[in-house]
């Protein structure tokens, strides 16, 4: 179980001037046709990067991008990330074509203090995900000290975010500390009512969090495609909506447990916006979410549901939101996510937005600054909120 009050080794404890400092960042940004569609993860690393520039360190950045499957994938090179980073910092950024080897080592030797070298996607090497000893050594010998600022990766035990921390003097970067501070109010002694809004596509990626949060949360509000797996598990007619068949039994167990305990409420959509296709061009109607006609699929929560959810959100003192309420990337199905964002922004409780899609949606809708904490992590953020032990954080704890 994670101890949110833990102390971490800090950047300020390291001797940095003139040193080769390897910083593991999470520059796993969303790309569309080679263009970055959300640069939050790059911007979030700037406090650490700027601190290192001021400390006259040689900055060696490592990151993964996507899931290349341990081989070089041209479309997953970090070049677009390097270009964006260059626009955000007051120093040179040189992107290298590998992350280990003699050429990389030479480039680092030749770099001036205050320069940034961005190494290539660590996941091009099989040793990365395997936390392979040889690969860890190849990375470690490129630096004198190690800083982990890749919060989005703390649930993973890979070479570049875990292995290297076992070999070099290591510290947590400023983003990691900010995330820990921002998420902790929902983990240790949260204020009640505690409302968790859980959406997104897959029940399988959220069910673990639902089980773990059950003791702490007063009300779950369920939206997104995963709501239809819940409604289906209750025996309702969900038409052509997305249902994860492999999850139906577990979802049913979860709902039964909630019913038995009677300590936690769960609200499911009462009505849904439906269409016959996943597009913004077809006919859209609002129907009873428990009686969706065959051929029609639920793509957003409806107005009755929004009204119900408002009643639960308004008094919340702690609020966690992970996963959009509908297919918000399509205009006709934006309202659920948008209205919920507005309600959350208006509450006086402590508001945490889980990372990835939800964070991007909230920012797109213009509510990013109204929240108390918008996490850069998806799986990592949920892992932290669940109270799970996160290997790449554990290794950074101060003795
Ligand atoms: C994320 O986006 O969740 C992190 O960058 C980790 O990536 P992964 O889920 O592919 O390990
Ligand atoms: Mg992930």
């Amino acid at each position: 179980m994670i101890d949110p009050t833990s102390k971490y080794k800090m950047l300020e404890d390291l001797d940095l001037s003139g040193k080769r400092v390897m910083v593991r960042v999470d520059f796993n940004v969303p790309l569309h046709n080679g263009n970055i569609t959300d640069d939050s993860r790059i911007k979030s690393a700037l406090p650490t990067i700027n601190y290192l520039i001021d400390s006259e360190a040689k900055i060696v950045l490592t990151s993964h991008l996507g899931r290349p499957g341990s081989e070089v994938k041209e479309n997953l090179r970090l070049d677009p990330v390097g270009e964006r980073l260059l626009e955000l910092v007051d120093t040179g950024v040189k992107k290298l074509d590998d992350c280990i080897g003699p050429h990389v080592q030479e480039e680092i030797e030749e770099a001036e203090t205050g320069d940034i070298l961005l190494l290539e996607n660590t996941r091009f090497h099989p040793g990365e995900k395997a936390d392979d000893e040889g690969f860890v050594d190849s990375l470690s010998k490129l630096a004198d000290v190690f800083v982990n600022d890749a919060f989005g990766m703390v649930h993973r035990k890979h070479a570049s975010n875990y292995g290297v921390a076992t070999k070099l003097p290591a510290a947590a970067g400023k983003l990691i500390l900010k995330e820990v501070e921002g998420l902790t109010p929902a983990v240790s002694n949260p204020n009640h009512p505690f409302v968790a809004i859980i959406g997104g596509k897959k029940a399988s990626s959220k069910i673990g969090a639902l089980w773990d949060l059950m003791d702490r949360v007063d009300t779950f509000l369920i939206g997104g495609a995963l709501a239809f797996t819940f409604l289906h598990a209750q025996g309702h007619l969900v038409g052509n909506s997305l249902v994860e068949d492999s999850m139906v039994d577990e979802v049913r167990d979860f709902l039964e447990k909630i019913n038995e305990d009677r300590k936690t409420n769960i609200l499911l959509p009462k009505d849904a916006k439906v269409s016959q296709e996943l597009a913004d061009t077809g006919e859209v109607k609002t129907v009873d979410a428990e009686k969706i006609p065959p051929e029609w699929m639920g793509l957003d929560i409806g107005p009755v549901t929004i009204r119900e959810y408002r009643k639960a959100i308004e008094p919340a003192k702690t609020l966690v939101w992970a996963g959009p309420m509908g297919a918000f990337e399509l205009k006709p199905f934006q309202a659920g996510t948008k209205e919920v964002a507005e309600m959350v922004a208006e509450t006086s409780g402590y508001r945490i937005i889980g990372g990835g899609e939800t964070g991007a949606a909230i920012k797109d809708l213009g509510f990013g600054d109204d929240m108390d904490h918008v996490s850069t992590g998806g799986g990592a953020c949920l892992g932290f909120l669940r109270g799970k032990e996160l290997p790449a954080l554990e290794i950074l704890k101060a003795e």
Side-chain angles (χ1 to χ4, degrees), residues 120-196:
E120 187 56 279
N121 193 340
T122 50
R123 285 192 185 169
F124 287 173
H125 290 269
E128 165 68 336
K129 286 180 105 163
D131 188 24
D132 169 75
E133 180 98 30
F135 186 64
V136 170
D137 284 339
S138 302
L139 283 171
S140 303
K141 71 177 179 204
L142 299 173
D144 305 303
V145 294
F146 175 65
V147 176
N148 187 4
D149 215 18
F151 180 76
M153 274 292 291
V154 290
H155 58 318
R156 309 261 184 245
K157 192 176 176 179
H158 293 175
S160 66
N161 75 325
Y162 179 87
V164 177
T166 66
K167 301 278 179 189
L168 294 174
K174 294 185 180 289
L175 173 61
I176 283 202
L177 295 176
K178 183 178 166 196
E179 291 270 9
V180 168
E181 195 181 284
L183 297 172
T184 294
V187 181
S188 70
N189 297 319
N191 291 325
H192 293 271
F194 185 159
V195 174

Side-chain angles (χ1 to χ4, degrees), residues 153-329:
M153 274 292 291
V154 290
H155 58 318
R156 309 261 184 245
K157 192 176 176 179
H158 293 175
S160 66
N161 75 325
Y162 179 87
V164 177
T166 66
K167 301 278 179 189
L168 294 174
K174 294 185 180 289
L175 173 61
I176 283 202
L177 295 176
K178 183 178 166 196
E179 291 270 9
V180 168
E181 195 181 284
L183 297 172
T184 294
V187 181
S188 70
N189 297 319
N191 291 325
H192 293 271
F194 185 159
V195 174
I197 308 169
I198 307 292
K201 287 192 192 74
K202 289 187 178 164
S204 51
S205 65
K206 301 280 164 55
I207 191 79
L210 288 163
W211 282 113
D212 288 348
L213 286 169
M214 198 160 87
D215 288 339
R216 245 180 293 149
V217 163
D218 301 294
T219 304
F220 286 113
L221 306 179
I222 306 293
L226 72 86
F228 301 103
T229 299
F230 279 71
L231 290 161
H232 174 77
Q234 286 184 327
H236 299 304
L237 302 173
V238 297
N240 213 7
S241 306
L242 194 71
V243 167
E244 242 178 311
D245 287 320
S246 61
M247 292 310 297
V248 172
D249 287 342
E250 191 174 352
V251 165
R252 203 174 284 132
D253 289 347
F254 175 76
L255 290 168
E256 269 170 25
K257 178 84 173 118
I258 284 214
N259 259 334
E260 277 165 25
D261 285 4
R262 297 188 172 278
K263 284 185 290 202
T264 313
N265 294 317
I266 185 163
L267 301 183
L268 297 172
K270 284 275 186 319
D271 57 345
K273 293 249 181 80
V274 298
S275 177
Q276 285 177 303
E277 50 194 311
L278 182 60
D280 52 9
T281 44
E283 186 193 344
V284 178
K285 41 185 198 177
T286 303
V287 300
D288 183 337
E290 299 179 354
K291 293 187 195 72
I292 298 178
E295 313 296 322
W296 293 77
M297 67 179 116
L299 292 170
D300 197 8
I301 55 175
V304 174
T305 309
I306 291 173
R307 265 200 303 281
E308 270 221 344
Y309 286 12
R310 181 185 297 281
K311 281 187 229 148
I313 289 170
E314 264 170 4
K317 289 281 173 284
T318 305
L319 235 147
V320 166
W321 182 5
M325 293 291 97
F328 85 100
E329 64 283 1

